[in-house]
Amino acid sequence: MAKLAWPGPDRRKNIGARISRLDGPEKTTGTAKYSYDMNREGMLYAKLYQSPHAIAKVTAVDTSEAEAMPGVKGVYIEKDRRGEFPNITYAGDIICAIAATSEEIADEALTKVKVSYSDIGSPQMNDNDPSLISGRDQSKEQGDPDAGFGEADAVSEGTYGLACITHACLESHGQMAEFKDGELYVWPSTQNVSGYAGGLARAAELSADKIHVECQYMGGGFGSKFGADKWGSISTILSKQTAKPVKLMLERDQEHKVAGHRPSAFGTVKIGVKKDGTITAWDSDIWGSGGMGNFRMPPLPYVFTGLPNYRTLGRGIKVNRGAARAWRGPNHPQAALITMCALDDAAHAIGMDSLSFFKKNLHLTDRPEVYAEELDKAAEMIDWKGKWHPRGENTGGSMRSGLGLSIHTWGGGGGQSDCAVTINPDGSVVGRTGTQDLGTGTRTVQAIVLSDTLGLPVDKVRIEIGKNSLPASGASGGSTTVGGVSSSTRDAATQALNALLEKVAPDLGVEADKLEAWDGRIQEIGNPSKGMSWEQACSLLGGMAITKQGSKDTSDGTILTVSGVGGVGIADVTVDIETGMVTINEYAAVQDCGLIIDEKTCESQLYGGTIMGITYALYEETVYDPATGAMLNPDFEFYKIAGLADVGKIKVHLMRGPKYEDRGVVGIGEPAVISQGAAIANAVANAIGVRVPELPLTPDRVLDAISKGGVA
Amino acid sequence: MSTKNTKHEPSGISRRGFLKGVGAGAVATGLLQEVSESAGIAEAATPTTLGPGEIPIKLNVNGQSRSLNVEPRVTLLDALRNRLDVTGTKKVCDRGTCGACTVLLDGKVVYSCSVLAVEAQDKKIVTIEGLGTPDNLSDMQAAFIEHDASQCGFCTPGFIVATTAFVRDNPGATLEEVREGLGGNLCRCGTYAGITAATFEQAQKGGA
Ligand code: FES
Ligand code: FES
């Protein structure tokens, strides 16, 4: 019988190879259909009307003039469960929606909506003032911090922080909804195909089994697209009301305002350190905002959880902006920035090279050996030895260069997933899972696992995903997808193969136990002459295909996915001290990835994470008018994301070999994006000699820090 | 972020200004002339009032002549996507910042969100669908796949149209020229490493 456990390196043909993503031909030719691309005969376009006020009561919504416009077919007015207008809590809150025969008519109709407000209030928009703290203290203490500070030769103290940013998915949130024969069909842009329908049951007035969800391609989620959301309900209600298909996709400004914010975090950290680099104590006081929702303190001290003496305090500030949503690696970029910058400052306080300082303290982490190897690798990739200089040392002229590093961790164990694999008598094979491919390569990963398990080339198997009629699979969040679907696929494929081996055994005169699937054949283990082609073997199935269902929690309990990885980033930057511009010269990303299924798409996660990380390190922040609460940069002109020329030379390295890969599969979408803020901020401090306390490292912040002194 | 974008200027028409005029139901002569000149619609166009209702137009999309009715305020992007169901061209910012809507207009790279459909009449429009198909990929499309230059893929069509024109216009371009030349498109997933490699490779191959 074929074993469930992952095959050893000599038995992997596709697993771990460089395989191009299978949906590349569709994505590169414009034939991939995203939710935004779903058009139907007679389809209406719905658009949202949002409050310009941050705090107000809605007293009346008059849509009569809009409704009178030719082409306007449906109107939705937001009410709470008591049937009253909800209170407005941020500028951008949804008040009503219009469905019309064209986008232009819907847009124009929105200009004719009249909303009356009372109790227009002043919003609270400041998320970086500890005097505004509200809500519960979150604190942690270990050892005796005061005694620890007493033992220190030096105490370094600094302020650190990151502004609120948005997800800014290029395909905005939304869906197309269509009722047919009393059932609802929706095409949402979602990270959660199997779990999406329930969120529409109320709006559709249908049980979830009558709601059919499909999402084959989606244009980015990054943690913001788990639920059906208000706009999902609204398009459903409008579709029901008008008996027409309705497409509602957020406008670009709405995407920024309502569809997801990463919480900000600011604060002070004090570190006690001995001359030899021993850390004796940590004390941090952190505040920040998750909008009107709760603030969760980032996990501090980050990675160096074995610090003997520490005290942490975290407190939230309510801000009248759109709700926070999970943002790729929730709370880890914040934790990394605060921890790794504070540690870098501590190294500087005792005049130690930060690479040596970090290495000296790796015993305080969960995986000292991994980080040590990764730091050495990254240092070699960036030429740390050749390029490093003490902080602020004049590298000549107005262009100052510097190096900075950071380390990070993430879980990434597989989430719940079921997969059904069918082997047909004609030899065709299909794996079916109600999962989604966010661009992470889910399809490709499943095809690689399925084909390798059956001894076939990748193009001999087919994968179907993206529908909630398929075996349920968890939401794609927390880097849980690859571990989940690779496990369920391996489980289902192994069971199906074993059923096939049973069928074939009598014909070959070899016990099923002694058979293997290898190189397009079913054969006696290690003996190609005693075997038959895959197609011949399948033809023995007669009229009956084999279908087996597998799960992340596998049929015989074999564990195929594990949690917990470490990674390292080192940035090499140049800062123009006259303009404050930061340029990324190089960035080295080194990552422990567990068992790598597809080296190519795995590397892409590291490239992509690094670029997203450079973007929040240098450019991204939401800006609000303090008086009205209006977001001032809900676009891509003033909400900057890095362009192709802004990211420097990125070098990625995946840790490979039995020590890393024998553990099983781990997802790496999140760890890929955690260290950049800290590494780049540390590189800037190294270049200019002073700490720029907050991200993004915009020219004004850099010049401000320089003007406060320290530049040689 | 990059500002240098010599080969990839969007069409220089102020869409909002034009919309205002059309929306009011009377196009000021001066405005239309300005539009005509900058877009090069016709050398000696006689000012005409179009709209505000739908008017019949013809668009030449990927070699096919397509007839449709649009209000004059409809952008080429919305005409392609909403009227003709040519959806490979994506809408992201709808205001000339991101390049997701990039198409070729008589061979010139334009942001289709910043061109009116009525302006695109009598011109050859090439969208991503016109460059190749899954069974017959263009060299650039194949290079994007080989270098894994798309993740979610939403920016990919715009990038492929832009890079295809870039290598056509800049055969033998250096890495530096590739970086500088492709500042007009944005990707959120962070596929720039693959895009740079694919474009550089194609430019080195001669860019045909
Ligand atoms: S959609 Fe046209 S440039 Fe962004
Ligand atoms: S691949 Fe997702 S935006 Fe570029």
Side-chain angles (χ1 to χ4, degrees):
Chain A
M1 292 286 109
K3 295 267 182 309
L4 243 166
W6 292 117
D10 56 326
R11 303 290 294 176
R12 297 176 203 147
K13 276 204 168 153
N14 304 327
I15 293 174
R18 296 187 71 74
I19 293 178
S20 294
R21 66 180 65 232
L22 299 184
D23 49 15
E26 287 72 31
K27 283 179 172 167
T28 54
T29 55
T31 46
K33 286 274 184 190
Y34 295 75
S35 310
Y36 215 141
D37 302 333
M38 290 298 155
N39 290 330
R40 290 289 181 275
E41 198 55 42
M43 185 182 80
L44 304 177
Y45 297 84
K47 304 241 175 187
L48 299 174
Y49 184 98
Q50 295 171 291
S51 169
H53 305 294
I55 295 184
K57 282 198 164 80
V58 174
T59 55
V61 178
D62 176 5
T63 54
S64 55
E65 210 183 313
E67 284 175 71
M69 274 181 66
V72 170
K73 302 291 181 192
V75 169
Y76 167 88
I77 297 175
E78 177 75 7
K79 297 269 177 71
D80 63 21
R81 285 178 189 227
R82 295 163 303 162
E84 287 167 20
F85 298 119
N87 288 335
I88 301 300
T89 61
Y90 68 99
D93 233 351
I94 296 163
I95 292 179
C96 67
I98 302 272
T101 50
S102 76
E103 287 206 59
E104 295 75 23
I105 294 173
D107 272 332
E108 195 177 333
L110 287 178
T111 67
K112 302 195 188 309
V113 170
K114 292 193 191 74
V115 181
S116 313
Y117 305 89
S118 71
D119 301 277
I120 296 171
S122 309
Q124 200 307 94
M125 303 310 296
N126 187 348
D127 61 357
N128 188 8
D129 178 349
S131 74
L132 298 168
I133 280 158
S134 68
R136 199 167 57 76
D137 283 5
Q138 303 160 57
S139 53
K140 252 189 342 188
E141 195 164 326
Q142 178 164 296
D144 185 343
D146 295 328
F149 281 112
E151 288 166 30
D153 294 322
V155 173
S156 86
E157 197 169 355
T159 62
Y160 312 94
L162 329 67
C164 169
I165 66 174
T166 69
H167 296 69
C169 311
L170 289 202
E171 182 186 34
S172 58
H173 287 62
Q175 67 171 26
M176 201 277 280
E178 183 177 26
F179 282 88
K180 261 195 271 178
D181 304 324
E183 305 203 349
L184 174 63
Y185 295 77
V186 291
W187 285 262
S189 185
T190 184
Q191 300 177 232
N192 188 9
V193 166
S194 287
Y196 188 86
L200 291 180
R202 219 176 107 93
E205 298 171 271
L206 287 172
S207 51
D209 62 306
K210 297 200 174 65
I211 300 174
H212 310 276
V213 179
E214 181 163 359
C215 172
Q216 294 300 334
Y217 299 95
M218 59 90 72
F222 314 111
S224 67
K225 289 182 177 167
F226 291 124
D229 281 313
K230 212 176 254 187
W231 40 86
S233 297
I234 293 172
S235 59
T236 301
I237 289 165
L238 284 169
S239 176
K240 208 173 157 104
Q241 184 191 99
T242 59
K244 299 261 189 215
V246 171
K247 178 154 75 179
L248 195 172
M249 303 301 293
L250 299 186
E251 305 291 308
R252 179 51 43 195
D253 63 324
Q254 297 173 337
E255 180 72 13
H256 276 299
K257 288 177 197 165
V258 310
H261 294 70
R262 184 178 82 178
S264 53
F266 307 93
T268 60
V269 182
K270 210 166 95 176
I271 292 179
V273 63
K274 286 191 182 160
K275 279 202 192 92
D276 68 354
T278 307
I279 305 168
T280 61
W282 163 295
D283 189 359
S284 59
D285 179 6
I286 306 300
W287 54 88
S289 181
M292 294 306 286
N294 287 333
F295 172 76
R296 260 194 324 125
M297 184 171 69
L300 297 175
Y302 185 56
V303 183
F304 293 87
T305 46
L307 263 165
N309 311 303
Y310 68 77
R311 186 187 300 129
T312 64
L313 176 62
R315 294 169 293 169
I317 298 174
K318 299 273 186 229
V319 169
N320 296 102
R321 65 182 178 220
R325 294 180 181 217
W327 196 102
R328 203 172 174 184
N331 248 343
H332 281 231
Q334 293 93 323
L337 186 277
I338 292 165
T339 303
M340 306 307 156
C341 292
L343 289 176
D344 190 62
D345 286 350
H348 172 62
I350 52 164
M352 198 164 170
D353 165 336
S354 32
L355 178 62
S356 315
F357 179 77
F358 274 71
K359 282 179 76 173
K360 180 175 171 72
N361 286 292
L362 290 178
H363 64 284
L364 302 175
T365 73
D366 283 347
R367 37 185 74 78
E369 262 182 61
V370 169
Y371 287 122
E373 276 187 56
E374 290 179 335
L375 279 169
D376 286 343
K377 182 70 205 172
E380 173 199 318
M381 286 159 73
I382 212 101
D383 186 20
W384 183 281
K385 259 200 203 121
K387 288 185 190 159
W388 193 83
H389 59 75
R391 182 181 285 189
E393 191 178 272
N394 192 339
T395 52
S398 61
M399 304 301 273
R400 305 294 173 84
S401 53
L403 297 182
L405 67 85
S406 167
I407 71 178
H408 58 261
T409 185
W410 188 256
Q416 192 43 55
S417 172
D418 287 343
C419 171
V421 165
T422 297
I423 300 175
N424 290 302
D426 66 355
S428 62
V429 176
V430 58
R432 298 186 165 99
T433 314
T435 185
Q436 49 280 321
D437 192 334
L438 276 49
T440 43
T442 313
R443 277 184 186 86
T444 313
V445 160
Q446 281 191 269
I448 289 171
V449 170
L450 178 53
S451 58
D452 243 13
T453 305
L454 302 180
L456 297 172
V458 177
D459 61 5
K460 284 278 190 218
V461 304
R462 208 162 56 77
I463 296 296
E464 271 182 33
I465 63 166
K467 293 183 190 175
N468 69 337
S469 56
L470 302 173
S473 205
S476 289
S479 299
T480 56
T481 306
V482 164
V485 302
S486 59
S487 302
S488 63
T489 307
R490 175 80 179 169
D491 187 20
T494 305
Q495 292 181 56
L497 173 62
N498 282 333
L500 178 66
L501 298 182
E502 295 279 3
K503 280 272 184 200
V504 174
D507 270 68
L508 283 175
V510 179
E511 281 171 50
D513 256 0
K514 306 242 152 43
L515 290 174
E516 65 176 354
W518 186 248
D519 225 1
R521 294 174 65 75
I522 300 295
Q523 62 188 34
E524 189 175 21
I525 293 173
N527 180 13
S529 66
K530 197 144 195 196
M532 59 175 80
S533 73
W534 173 262
E535 284 75 16
Q536 269 177 314
C538 293
S539 71
L540 298 176
L541 293 174
M544 195 61 186
I546 297 169
T547 295
K548 295 286 175 191
Q549 183 142 326
S551 185
K552 191 275 277 180
D553 297 321
T554 58
S555 46
D556 71 1
T558 305
I559 290 171
L560 299 173
T561 173
V562 292
S563 191
V565 287
V568 160
I570 300 187
D572 169 355
V573 307
T574 296
V575 184
D576 181 336
I577 58 169
E578 281 171 8
T579 65
M581 281 288 290
V582 177
T583 306
I584 307 293
N585 303 320
E586 287 189 2
Y587 190 94
V590 177
Q591 185 63 47
D592 158 20
C593 309
L595 175 65
I596 292 163
I597 305 286
D598 181 7
E599 188 178 77
K600 205 183 258 198
T601 53
C602 186
E603 280 181 0
S604 288
Q605 285 301 303
L606 292 196
Y607 282 117
T610 296
I611 289 167
M612 242 179 144
I614 289 171
T615 302
Y616 73 69
L618 298 186
Y619 308 121
E620 283 182 86
E621 67 183 306
T622 57
V623 181
Y624 303 91
D625 174 13
T628 63
M631 185 176 173
L632 298 176
N633 57 345
D635 49 42
F636 284 131
E637 291 101 289
F638 300 102
Y639 188 98
K640 303 277 190 199
I641 65 174
L644 194 135
D646 300 319
V647 299
K649 188 169 168 49
I650 300 166
K651 300 173 168 174
V652 308
H653 180 82
L654 315 177
M655 300 304 281
R656 301 204 67 160
K659 188 163 111 197
Y660 293 94
E661 301 198 86
D662 284 357
R663 302 166 57 213
V665 177
V666 194
I668 55 118
E670 333 272 328
V673 80
I674 297 170
S675 267
Q676 289 78 15
I680 292 168
N682 285 339
V684 168
N686 183 246
I688 64 175
V690 290
R691 169 68 54 192
V692 184
E694 283 158 24
L695 303 188
L697 302 163
T698 48
D700 58 328
R701 288 191 176 92
V702 172
L703 290 178
D704 189 48
I706 289 173
S707 74
K708 286 180 181 142
V711 177
Chain B
M1 285 305 299
S2 303
T3 45
K4 208 164 155 194
N5 185 20
T6 39
K7 294 269 178 353
H8 291 70
E9 286 297 317
S11 148
I13 304 141
S14 155
R15 175 180 155 207
R16 248 162 304 169
F18 192 50
L19 289 183
K20 236 190 255 163
V22 175
V27 177
T29 311
L31 179 58
L32 186 62
Q33 269 171 353
E34 189 188 307
V35 168
S36 302
E37 277 161 22
S38 62
I41 284 178
E43 250 76 280
T46 321
T48 351
T49 303
L50 301 176
E54 291 196 342
I55 53 163
I57 63 165
K58 275 207 176 84
L59 294 178
N60 180 331
V61 183
N62 300 325
Q64 283 190 329
S65 175
R66 311 273 307 258
S67 301
L68 62 158
N69 294 323
V70 293
E71 292 181 59
R73 60 180 166 177
V74 172
T75 62
L76 175 57
L77 173 63
D78 286 341
L80 288 169
R81 292 180 50 80
N82 298 347
R83 271 59 169 199
L84 299 177
D85 200 27
V86 178
T87 56
T89 309
K90 302 300 183 223
K91 184 193 276 201
V92 169
C93 71
D94 203 24
R95 56 199 282 173
T97 331
C98 74
C101 63
T102 303
V103 301
L104 302 178
L105 207 53
D106 277 347
K108 196 171 159 240
V109 182
V110 299
Y111 293 154
S112 63
C113 69
S114 306
V115 176
L116 293 170
V118 294
E119 297 173 72
Q121 296 190 85
D122 308 317
K123 298 190 179 203
K124 290 202 176 96
I125 302 158
V126 176
T127 69
I128 183 71
E129 290 92 340
L131 296 179
T133 61
D135 296 327
N136 186 21
L137 297 167
S138 74
D139 290 348
M140 186 60 80
Q141 288 165 331
F144 263 58
I145 296 171
E146 175 58 28
H147 294 281
D148 206 29
S150 69
Q151 289 192 29
C152 81
F154 212 68
C155 69
T156 307
F159 259 112
I160 290 181
V161 174
T163 53
T164 300
F166 176 85
V167 300
R168 175 199 68 196
D169 297 342
N170 301 275
T174 63
L175 258 184
E176 209 35 55
E177 285 164 344
V178 168
R179 291 204 182 98
E180 296 281 315
L182 295 173
N185 292 64
L186 295 174
C187 171
R188 183 55 160 163
C189 299
T191 56
Y192 298 139
I195 293 170
T196 306
T199 308
F200 178 64
E201 175 195 284
Q202 290 304 305
Q204 292 301 307
K205 279 190 182 161

